[in-house]
Amino acid sequence: MHISHRLIMDKENFSKHIELKNIEINDPFWSRIISLVRTEVIPYQYEAFHDRIEGAEKSYCVSNFKKAAKAAEAIREGKKLPIYPVDKWYYNEENSDENAFHGWVFQDSDFYKWIEAVGFSLSNHPDNELKKKAEEIIELICNAQLENGYINTYYTINNPSKAFTNIRDFHELYCFGHLVEGAVAYFNATGDRKLLDAACRYADLICETFGGDNGKKRAYPGHEITEMALVKLYDLTGEKKYLDEAKFFIDERGKKPCYFDVERNQETGEGDHTYEQAHLPVREQREAVGHAVRAVYLYSGMADIAKNYNDDELYSSCIGLWNNIENQKLYITGGIGATADGEAFSFDYDLPNDLAYAETCASIGLVFFARRMAEINPDSRFHNVAERALYNTILSGMAEDGKSFFYSNLLEVNPEACKKDSRKRYISPVRQKWFGCACCPPNLARIISSLGEYCFAQNDETVFINQYVGAKVKSENADFEIVSSYAVNGRVNIFINPQKPIKLALRIPEWCDGFEISNAYEIKDGYAYINIAEKSEIALDFKPKAKLIKCSNRVRANVGKAALSKGPFVYCIEEVDNGKNLQMLRVNPKGSFTEDGDIILADGFREKEDEKLYSEYQKADETPCKIKFIPYYRWANRGENEMTVYVRI
Amino acid sequence: MHISHRLIMDKENFSKHIELKNIEINDPFWSRIISLVRTEVIPYQYEAFHDRIEGAEKSYCVSNFKKAAKAAEAIREGKKLPIYPVDKWYYNEENSDENAFHGWVFQDSDFYKWIEAVGFSLSNHPDNELKKKAEEIIELICNAQLENGYINTYYTINNPSKAFTNIRDFHELYCFGHLVEGAVAYFNATGDRKLLDAACRYADLICETFGGDNGKKRAYPGHEITEMALVKLYDLTGEKKYLDEAKFFIDERGKKPCYFDVERNQETGEGDHTYEQAHLPVREQREAVGHAVRAVYLYSGMADIAKNYNDDELYSSCIGLWNNIENQKLYITGGIGATADGEAFSFDYDLPNDLAYAETCASIGLVFFARRMAEINPDSRFHNVAERALYNTILSGMAEDGKSFFYSNLLEVNPEACKKDSRKRYISPVRQKWFGCACCPPNLARIISSLGEYCFAQNDETVFINQYVGAKVKSENADFEIVSSYAVNGRVNIFINPQKPIKLALRIPEWCDGFEISNAYEIKDGYAYINIAEKSEIALDFKPKAKLIKCSNRVRANVGKAALSKGPFVYCIEEVDNGKNLQMLRVNPKGSFTEDGDIILADGFREKEDEKLYSEYQKADETPCKIKFIPYYRWANRGENEMTVYVRI
């Protein structure tokens, strides 16, 4: 399989994703999931931020915005406001005055992520009732906007004079970023400018407040996203200052003295800011470190800036960071972030299965990063990784009924350990209904609702098919239809009708050992390029087969083990199918694999349980057995039980 | 190999360890270590608690006792004392008035453990200079005693009126226990009553303060040791009330409402007291839980009381707890306590290698428990486990030069992980010079100085040889000499001269597959019994051989792996001998083992390092190699490097 290590940008071949409004997905695998998000997740979230879900932690989102609207009105009227503390990350009824802000400091983002998901969903699936709900939420948001454009319920309710005084921890710029992304998506879907105008007003305030000019704060987001959000706002409005502001945030990060120390009056500016990727100027960063979600959001913003400014130096940081993730820090499931401590990347090759973090949101962010990298440099490696994340960790984040979610996506779970071992208490052996810190479910909603953006890209000469999701698509130079059973059997038919002679670039999946393409093609950087001069039909067969995958022996947790994969899917075994003590199973690498739908039966052995804790070694007493594998994303849908991705060989 | 599961006490066959003064050790393996303790560890500790070790955390022990002596004098003179807070576990210069107590709340125990080690050492090795130092320390201790007998510098300095108000956490009864053990050992060695008298006065106060009678506190130690200390004091003085007090502490523990809640005015008494083994009445306990050192100190006290009161019911708890440790919770190295969280036992079969805790002190406590169990029921299983602990985890606790110590004794260490993975920051990849919480080095000093007590026991009819340590011994009915090269080649010669016909009971080590005994014998419960009517010589050969050991496949960390052992020693491999990435090595179970002194070379394979993080599984590309094993206790004597006990097979 081809792996390129192109270290500079392929400027002639920059591409851009095709907008959602031009994509109509109809896919035997994905349509059900997209529809679940529309019918289950989006309505559920709406109930959740109204605090109407019994047994779930409260969001307080609606009540915060209502309080902030009152405060905003009082400010306009010049009334004196009560002041509440702004020193805690989290407030609930017990530790806060009932009139003060409640929930997490970043709670506002729930609204914005929901609006974004709604926008994506409305792009292809008009729904007046949902639109009405969105308008109601947008009204709540706009009512909370101050005259200077500021929107943040935490500070507006508790103490507006403290705005922008804790940039490192208190997520104002993060919430702003999600507001912008929500506003852009909603405008793109509906043409309704109301939220977009509010976001632009706030963006103008951000540009006035933060920057390199005298009197501005030389700060940058504690939790990144702002950077890529500002680029989206620039893309939509053409307002160059938004792009420049994003570049400022990128360039300023990690300079000494570190702003995060300066704002705490720690003048040396020598604190450890690895967690926020502010340990080094970004152009010097080559190792993916710190909070994994923040990291990939930052790297996505860096890629945006590199592309927009033709900045090869910045790109070389991006590719260095990408290489580090792909080659040293990526779980086979597309998960990233190997440690719960700081929800962070661990060191190279430290990829424990039973102590993974692998946050759903981090894999979503990795897909953001992948798409941007592929749009700079059309090499299959980027969407190969995106595919790994999409079909495994990201899908695993949601239950098959769309009603419960994983925050962490472990590769090995023993429910007894999650209960009895404090090191594993962060691990939920079954999906939860909702989270107080509800970042993952809305993030899932927005990526699944916008899946098309990660599938298809274009430039003047080429249409790129990055993910084989069935859809009808209008690109600038061609209409095409993908009829795909890729997830089931690796077969895809493409019907394309170009307006001029173009190239069709088809990603050859990393897992594919031999493929058939009905037309003449040329391979470059992992894509098959086909010249399309007229209306054509292309048949693809990637021939997925069940095969064992070895993880590098640099990864201590996986020596002597293998994982099973087929096509884009990584498989796992569960106790419900294979009995307790999954570690006693061993797969026979010379055995056969029998497939039944998406289930794979492998030949293997089960060791007889040892009677003594220690005994002289002798060849294990094994009984041949069939080991039943299911796709990883489907695990934990049949109750609490043991699971493992890696099985001994 | 025989394993008995006798569930009741063997009352006819109770034995008692032979006192140190009747044992003169001369052993090619142990004498060097005992001498190191005398020449390095004991003098070092003396310097440490005078705070004269550069770069080491301060002990404050001498200065605390001096302050307490002043306070005691002021109290006698009716002067008003300044009051300092008694709410912190640890005070140092930064958070305490300079006249207040410094160091950990249990700091006094440093003196007592040192006195005990000195006592043991003086038993066989008179040393006037050392005796003078001990007398100086004893003087310091006695000067700090209040008129009612109370000795505890924390409360005496900071606020005497608060004595005995935080029994759960603040270690007064623990320090008292160590005082008693130190006083008993010192009296036994020297006949000097000064410290013993002080200890008895304090013991009298304890008996007046704690008990079931009206007006007494129904408390029991937060950190156990008091129980077995009081039994020792009873053994020495014959004062029954000390034994009864120990029984009270045992019987009261875990009753509802829990005293530890009551003293905090939590009247429900339903807090979780698993950490202190107060979650259940001890007679209902069958699972070893909580802080591992506390646990085995408690179980030792329970065994003492069971034996002294002929209490089969209590013994059945002891054997239940023993079974749980031996069969489900014991590392192959004799380590116990699988989690750093609470320095505690984890759940059954949860024995991670790279996240072990296996505190040196816990294995020492396990040897205390083992000896007591064997004295109740002469079954080899108890001293088999003691041997595992002594020759592996306990010895590993100290560097070969006696100058640095392990607190935790991991079975797999990757120094990079200890630095970069917060979950492993508690792990020191090399031994440290001293600890602020200096429990392990003095505990090592006292067990190694009193090794003889764990080797030989007696009753009216039988002399038991439990550990084959070379020594000249006087028992009540026989003098005997052990000439032992057990640690080197498994051979032992015993020269015995009985005063009447007796039996000699020789423990057959668990690891022994075939042995030779020069005389006629009968096997019972893992001991070979020989009738000795006259002066005799017995030659033993236990024929240790290198062999691979399999850990139960219930232990997830060890499936597909084996450990190497020879005789009492568990082996390990180090990076300095075998290169980096020890996980890439695999031992050939059909290969040969070549011995060179205590080094073993095994046939094995090294996998070629994988180039890609994920690739299709194929048979590993392996090169034959020799794998160099060294005894586990000798690891980390050649700088920081990777180590593992378990190697893939």
Side-chain angles (χ1 to χ4, degrees):
Chain A
M1 174 85 310
H2 150 86
I3 291 287
S4 108
H5 291 281
R6 193 190 284 270
L7 292 177
I8 54 163
M9 297 196 288
D10 188 3
K11 291 170 201 172
E12 305 299 300
N13 219 359
F14 278 178
S15 65
K16 189 147 179 51
H17 66 270
I18 294 175
E19 289 178 10
L20 282 190
K21 62 184 174 199
N22 296 320
I23 303 168
E24 187 187 324
I25 289 180
N26 181 12
D27 184 274
F29 183 79
W30 285 99
S31 288
R32 188 191 69 85
I33 296 161
I34 293 169
S35 149
L36 261 187
V37 165
R38 194 178 64 246
T39 57
E40 291 292 336
V41 185
I42 290 176
Y44 188 93
Q45 282 176 234
Y46 182 81
E47 293 304 302
F49 51 57
H50 282 88
D51 301 328
R52 294 194 290 237
I53 309 273
E54 211 163 321
E57 285 182 62
K58 284 191 176 182
S59 149
Y60 303 105
C61 211
V62 167
S63 66
N64 284 334
F65 271 93
K66 286 185 176 168
K67 288 176 194 174
K70 269 195 197 166
E73 196 184 342
I75 292 167
R76 275 195 300 278
E77 292 169 0
K79 287 185 190 157
K80 203 171 148 59
L81 287 167
I83 298 293
Y84 304 102
V86 288
D87 57 351
K88 283 204 196 103
W89 248 60
Y90 179 70
Y91 287 102
N92 60 17
E93 286 89 351
E94 279 160 34
N95 67 5
S96 174
D97 186 298
E98 69 169 309
N99 296 310
F101 175 90
H102 279 57
W104 299 91
V105 289
F106 46 76
Q107 210 70 55
D108 291 1
S109 62
D110 277 18
F111 265 10
Y112 307 146
K113 289 186 211 167
W114 182 81
I115 291 279
E116 189 179 9
V118 169
F120 292 145
S121 181
L122 293 177
S123 293
N124 290 142
H125 203 278
D127 178 336
N128 273 331
E129 205 182 320
L130 183 58
K131 195 154 173 279
K132 245 177 78 184
K133 283 181 180 167
E135 283 164 6
E136 168 212 319
I137 298 301
I138 289 169
E139 181 77 19
L140 281 170
I141 296 167
C142 292
N143 288 346
Q145 186 162 35
L146 302 188
E147 283 186 11
N148 66 358
Y150 185 78
I151 312 180
N152 185 288
T153 70
Y154 179 75
Y155 285 105
T156 300
I157 297 169
N158 281 11
N159 189 347
S161 75
K162 293 286 184 188
F164 302 135
T165 56
N166 188 347
I167 297 299
R168 189 187 72 182
D169 298 333
F170 276 21
H171 285 65
E172 278 159 300
L173 292 174
Y174 168 83
C175 288
F176 162 73
H178 272 299
L179 165 62
V180 167
E181 297 213 329
V184 168
Y186 195 76
F187 172 82
N188 281 337
T190 64
D192 180 343
R193 291 197 64 92
K194 185 175 168 100
L195 190 63
L196 180 64
D197 287 341
C200 287
R201 280 177 61 207
Y202 192 8
D204 295 341
L205 175 66
I206 298 293
C207 294
E208 285 158 24
T209 308
F210 301 95
D213 302 340
N214 268 349
K216 292 188 180 179
K217 289 179 195 283
R218 299 191 73 96
Y220 38 86
H223 191 314
E224 301 92 330
I225 191 175
T226 330
E227 302 82 349
M228 58 175 162
L230 283 165
V231 176
K232 283 189 184 178
L233 197 58
Y234 159 73
D235 280 346
L236 179 63
T237 64
E239 187 67 66
K240 180 80 175 355
K241 71 175 177 184
Y242 299 146
L243 187 66
D244 291 339
E245 186 72 4
K247 184 171 188 298
F248 167 78
F249 285 143
I250 295 288
D251 287 341
E252 192 64 19
R253 178 172 294 273
K255 286 192 182 161
K256 301 281 177 194
C258 179
Y259 184 83
F260 297 149
D261 292 327
V262 172
E263 72 175 356
R264 282 166 183 71
N265 300 316
Q266 291 162 1
E267 297 210 352
T268 61
E270 293 290 341
D272 178 7
H273 299 292
T274 309
Y275 174 76
E276 304 96 352
Q277 299 79 41
H279 56 301
L280 278 177
V282 298
R283 284 160 204 276
E284 295 171 27
Q285 295 189 25
R286 292 294 182 281
E287 186 183 357
V289 295
H291 188 269
V293 176
R294 294 178 198 224
V296 285
Y297 282 15
L298 168 66
Y299 309 154
S300 299
M302 286 164 63
D304 279 339
I305 295 301
K307 186 184 181 196
N308 274 284
Y309 288 84
N310 265 321
D311 185 339
D312 278 318
E313 187 195 48
L314 188 58
Y315 181 74
S316 73
S317 287
C318 293
I319 195 75
L321 291 161
W322 179 274
N323 285 339
N324 182 237
I325 294 175
E326 181 182 338
N327 299 327
Q328 278 94 32
K329 299 193 172 184
L330 181 70
Y331 282 103
I332 190 171
T333 51
I336 51 171
T339 174
D341 182 42
E343 307 179 311
F345 285 105
S346 188
F347 58 96
D348 285 353
Y349 300 107
D350 186 38
L351 295 167
N353 298 307
D354 59 341
L355 284 165
Y357 200 68
E359 187 179 337
T360 309
C361 288
S363 288
I364 291 170
L366 181 60
V367 174
F368 298 164
F369 185 27
R371 185 186 85 190
R372 284 161 174 82
M373 293 298 280
E375 289 177 14
I376 290 173
N377 185 356
D379 186 313
S380 65
R381 62 191 304 215
F382 304 112
H383 281 288
N384 284 338
V385 169
E387 176 177 276
R388 213 180 258 289
L390 279 168
Y391 284 83
N392 299 287
T393 291
I394 293 174
L395 277 190
S396 152
M398 188 166 80
E400 292 198 314
D401 62 4
K403 289 181 177 169
S404 58
F405 305 91
F406 274 137
Y407 197 108
S408 286
N409 296 277
L410 283 282
L411 282 82
E412 180 181 338
V413 171
N414 171 15
E416 184 180 16
C418 302
K419 283 166 203 151
K420 296 183 178 172
D421 180 347
S422 63
R423 294 169 294 220
K424 294 184 177 165
R425 268 191 213 127
Y426 73 91
I427 302 167
S428 170
V430 289
R431 293 177 186 80
Q432 293 171 263
K433 283 183 76 174
W434 195 253
F435 308 89
C437 172
C439 55
C440 297
N443 235 346
L444 269 168
R446 65 194 193 114
I447 196 160
I448 290 169
S449 308
S450 61
L451 183 65
E453 288 193 355
Y454 302 90
C455 300
F456 314 114
Q458 60 187 337
N459 60 26
D460 282 351
E461 292 171 0
T462 312
V463 165
F464 294 89
I465 313 290
N466 296 312
Q467 303 294 347
Y468 295 95
V469 172
K472 286 185 182 160
V473 185
K474 287 190 207 330
S475 79
E476 280 164 19
N477 299 319
D479 289 355
F480 58 96
E481 182 174 2
I482 316 269
V483 176
S484 174
S485 50
Y486 180 81
V488 180
N489 58 23
R491 293 202 200 107
V492 181
N493 290 82
I494 302 172
F495 304 88
I496 187 161
N497 191 8
Q499 282 116 52
K500 64 170 194 180
I502 57 161
K503 285 183 197 162
L504 183 63
L506 305 167
R507 180 178 62 94
I508 308 301
E510 186 180 9
W511 50 261
C512 173
D513 296 320
F515 54 85
E516 283 173 21
I517 297 181
S518 57
N519 305 43
Y521 63 88
E522 197 177 321
I523 295 284
K524 188 183 161 211
D525 293 346
Y527 280 81
Y529 285 80
I530 301 175
N531 292 314
I532 304 286
E534 57 191 13
K535 193 166 172 181
S536 312
E537 182 181 340
I538 302 110
L540 307 172
D541 187 351
F542 294 116
K543 304 182 177 180
K545 67 180 212 303
K547 59 180 171 182
L548 293 173
I549 302 292
K550 188 190 192 221
C551 179
S552 164
N553 51 19
R554 290 291 303 270
V555 178
R556 286 164 202 267
N558 294 335
V559 282
K561 298 178 184 171
L564 184 67
S565 77
K566 187 190 162 195
F569 297 104
V570 172
Y571 278 66
C572 70
I573 58 175
E574 277 195 290
E575 177 185 340
V576 64
D577 297 318
N578 298 286
K580 269 196 165 310
N581 291 309
L582 297 177
Q583 78 277 9
M584 294 182 195
L585 293 169
R586 183 169 73 83
V587 70
N588 181 354
K590 293 173 187 157
S592 67
F593 299 100
T594 317
E595 300 179 29
D596 177 10
D598 63 358
I599 290 165
I600 300 174
L601 291 174
D603 288 326
F605 305 94
R606 173 176 277 281
E607 268 192 34
K608 195 177 153 201
E609 186 174 323
D610 289 316
E611 281 173 21
K612 292 183 65 179
L613 188 53
Y614 301 107
S615 53
E616 184 162 356
Y617 173 79
Q618 47 194 355
K619 204 171 158 0
D621 183 355
E622 292 180 325
T623 315
C625 68
K626 289 285 179 189
I627 304 179
K628 182 173 171 182
F629 287 83
I630 61 165
Y632 171 72
Y633 80 91
R634 282 184 52 198
W635 94 274
N637 278 293
R638 292 170 294 168
E640 184 179 291
N641 74 155
E642 287 182 39
M643 180 279 293
T644 186
V645 168
Y646 286 94
V647 183
R648 284 188 305 126
I649 44 175
Chain B
M1 174 85 315
H2 150 86
I3 293 286
S4 108
H5 291 281
R6 193 190 284 270
L7 292 177
I8 54 164
M9 297 196 288
D10 189 4
K11 290 171 200 170
E12 305 299 300
N13 218 0
F14 277 178
S15 65
K16 190 150 178 51
H17 66 271
I18 294 175
E19 287 179 9
L20 281 190
K21 62 183 174 200
N22 296 320
I23 303 168
E24 187 187 323
I25 289 180
N26 181 11
D27 184 274
F29 182 79
W30 285 99
S31 289
R32 189 191 71 83
I33 295 161
I34 294 169
S35 150
L36 261 187
V37 166
R38 193 176 67 246
T39 58
E40 292 291 337
V41 185
I42 290 176
Y44 188 93
Q45 282 176 234
Y46 182 81
E47 293 305 300
F49 50 59
H50 281 89
D51 300 329
R52 292 193 292 236
I53 308 274
E54 210 162 319
E57 284 183 60
K58 283 189 176 185
S59 149
Y60 303 104
C61 210
V62 167
S63 66
N64 284 334
F65 270 94
K66 286 185 174 168
K67 289 176 194 172
K70 272 196 195 165
E73 197 185 340
I75 292 168
R76 276 195 299 278
E77 292 169 359
K79 287 184 190 158
K80 203 171 147 60
L81 287 167
I83 298 294
Y84 304 102
V86 287
D87 57 350
K88 286 202 190 99
W89 242 60
Y90 179 70
Y91 282 106
N92 60 18
E93 294 94 317
E94 278 158 36
N95 64 8
S96 173
D97 187 297
E98 69 170 308
N99 296 311
F101 176 90
H102 279 56
W104 298 91
V105 289
F106 46 76
Q107 211 69 56
D108 292 2
S109 61
D110 276 18
F111 265 9
Y112 308 145
K113 289 186 210 166
W114 182 81
I115 292 278
E116 189 179 9
V118 169
F120 292 145
S121 180
L122 293 177
S123 293
N124 291 141
H125 203 278
D127 177 337
N128 274 330
E129 205 183 319
L130 184 58
K131 195 154 173 280
K132 247 178 74 185
K133 283 181 179 166
E135 283 165 4
E136 169 212 316
I137 298 301
I138 288 170
E139 181 76 18
L140 281 169
I141 296 168
C142 292
N143 288 345
Q145 187 162 37
L146 302 187
E147 283 187 10
N148 66 356
Y150 185 78
I151 313 181
N152 185 287
T153 70
Y154 178 77
Y155 284 105
T156 300
I157 297 169
N158 280 11
N159 190 345
S161 74
K162 293 286 184 188
F164 302 136
T165 56
N166 188 349
I167 297 299
R168 189 187 72 183
D169 298 334
F170 275 23
H171 286 64
E172 279 159 300
L173 292 174
Y174 169 83
C175 289
F176 162 74
H178 272 300
L179 165 62
V180 167
E181 296 214 330
V184 168
Y186 196 76
F187 172 82
N188 280 339
T190 63
D192 180 342
R193 291 198 63 93
K194 185 174 168 102
L195 191 63
L196 181 63
D197 287 342
C200 287
R201 282 177 59 207
Y202 192 9
D204 295 341
L205 175 66
I206 297 293
C207 293
E208 285 158 24
T209 308
F210 301 95
D213 301 340
N214 268 349
K216 293 188 180 179
K217 288 179 195 282
R218 300 192 72 99
Y220 38 86
H223 190 314
E224 301 93 330
I225 190 174
T226 329
E227 302 82 350
M228 58 175 162
L230 283 165
V231 176
K232 282 188 184 178
L233 197 60
Y234 158 73
D235 279 346
L236 180 65
T237 64
E239 187 68 67
K240 180 77 175 357
K241 72 173 176 184
Y242 299 146
L243 187 66
D244 291 339
E245 186 73 5
K247 184 171 188 298
F248 167 78
F249 284 144
I250 296 289
D251 287 341
E252 192 64 19
R253 178 172 294 273
K255 287 191 182 163
K256 301 278 176 195
C258 179
Y259 185 82
F260 298 149
D261 293 325
V262 172
E263 72 175 357
R264 280 166 184 70
N265 300 316
Q266 291 160 2
E267 298 209 350
T268 61
E270 293 290 342
D272 178 8
H273 298 291
T274 308
Y275 175 77
E276 304 96 351
Q277 298 78 42
H279 55 303
L280 280 177
V282 298
R283 284 159 204 277
E284 296 171 27
Q285 295 189 24
R286 292 294 182 280
E287 186 183 358
V289 295
H291 188 268
V293 176
R294 296 178 197 224
V296 284
Y297 283 14
L298 168 66
Y299 308 155
S300 299
M302 286 164 62
D304 280 340
I305 295 302
K307 186 184 181 198
N308 273 284
Y309 289 85
N310 266 322
D311 185 340
D312 278 318
E313 186 196 50
L314 187 57
Y315 181 75
S316 75
S317 286
C318 293
I319 196 74
L321 291 161
W322 179 274
N323 285 340
N324 181 237
I325 294 175
E326 182 182 338
N327 299 329
Q328 278 94 32
K329 298 194 173 183
L330 181 70
Y331 281 103
I332 189 171
T333 52
I336 50 172
T339 173
D341 183 41
E343 306 179 313
F345 285 105
S346 188
F347 58 96
D348 285 353
Y349 300 106
D350 185 39
L351 295 166
N353 297 307
D354 60 341
L355 285 165
Y357 200 69
E359 187 179 337
T360 309
C361 287
S363 287
I364 291 170
L366 181 60
V367 174
F368 299 163
F369 184 28
R371 185 186 85 190
R372 285 160 173 81
M373 293 298 280
E375 289 177 14
I376 290 173
N377 184 356
D379 186 314
S380 64
R381 63 190 304 215
F382 303 113
H383 282 288
N384 285 338
V385 168
E387 176 176 275
R388 213 181 258 289
L390 278 168
Y391 284 84
N392 299 288
T393 290
I394 293 174
L395 278 189
S396 151
M398 187 166 82
E400 291 198 315
D401 63 4
K403 290 180 177 169
S404 59
F405 306 90
F406 274 137
Y407 197 108
S408 285
N409 296 277
L410 282 284
L411 282 82
E412 180 181 339
V413 171
N414 171 16
E416 184 181 16
C418 302
K419 284 165 202 151
K420 296 182 177 171
D421 181 346
S422 63
R423 295 169 293 219
K424 294 185 176 165
R425 268 192 212 128
Y426 73 92
I427 302 168
S428 171
V430 290
R431 292 175 186 81
Q432 292 172 261
K433 283 183 77 173
W434 195 253
F435 308 90
C437 173
C439 55
C440 297
N443 235 347
L444 268 168
R446 67 194 191 114
I447 196 160
I448 289 169
S449 308
S450 62
L451 183 65
E453 288 193 354
Y454 302 90
C455 299
F456 314 114
Q458 61 187 339
N459 60 25
D460 283 349
E461 293 170 2
T462 312
V463 164
F464 294 89
I465 314 289
N466 295 314
Q467 302 294 347
Y468 294 96
V469 172
K472 287 184 181 161
V473 185
K474 287 189 209 325
S475 79
E476 280 163 22
N477 299 319
D479 290 355
F480 58 95
E481 181 175 3
I482 316 269
V483 177
S484 172
S485 50
Y486 179 82
V488 180
N489 59 24
R491 292 201 201 107
V492 181
N493 290 81
I494 302 172
F495 304 88
I496 187 161
N497 193 8
Q499 282 117 53
K500 64 169 195 184
I502 58 160
K503 285 183 195 159
L504 183 63
L506 305 167
R507 180 178 62 93
I508 308 302
E510 186 181 8
W511 49 261
C512 173
D513 296 320
F515 53 85
E516 282 173 21
I517 297 181
S518 56
N519 305 45
Y521 62 87
E522 199 178 316
I523 295 285
K524 189 184 161 207
D525 292 344
Y527 281 80
Y529 285 80
I530 301 175
N531 292 316
I532 305 286
E534 57 190 13
K535 192 166 169 177
S536 312
E537 181 181 340
I538 302 108
L540 308 172
D541 187 351
F542 293 117
K543 306 182 176 180
K545 65 179 213 301
K547 60 180 171 183
L548 292 173
I549 303 293
K550 186 189 193 223
C551 179
S552 163
N553 50 20
R554 289 293 302 271
V555 178
R556 286 165 201 265
N558 295 334
V559 283
K561 297 178 185 172
L564 184 68
S565 77
K566 187 191 162 196
F569 297 104
V570 172
Y571 278 66
C572 70
I573 59 175
E574 275 195 290
E575 177 185 340
V576 65
D577 297 317
N578 299 286
K580 270 197 164 311
N581 291 310
L582 298 176
Q583 77 279 6
M584 294 182 195
L585 293 169
R586 183 169 74 83
V587 70
N588 181 353
K590 292 174 186 156
S592 68
F593 299 100
T594 316
E595 300 180 27
D596 177 10
D598 63 357
I599 288 164
I600 301 174
L601 291 174
D603 289 325
F605 305 94
R606 174 176 275 283
E607 267 191 34
K608 194 176 153 203
E609 187 174 322
D610 290 315
E611 280 172 23
K612 291 183 65 179
L613 188 53
Y614 301 108
S615 53
E616 184 163 358
Y617 173 79
Q618 46 194 357
K619 205 172 157 2
D621 182 355
E622 292 181 324
T623 315
C625 68
K626 289 285 179 188
I627 304 178
K628 183 172 170 182
F629 286 83
I630 62 167
Y632 172 73
Y633 79 92
R634 282 183 52 196
W635 93 275
N637 278 292
R638 293 170 294 168
E640 184 178 292
N641 75 155
E642 287 182 38
M643 180 278 294
T644 186
V645 168
Y646 286 95
V647 183
R648 284 188 306 126
I649 43 174

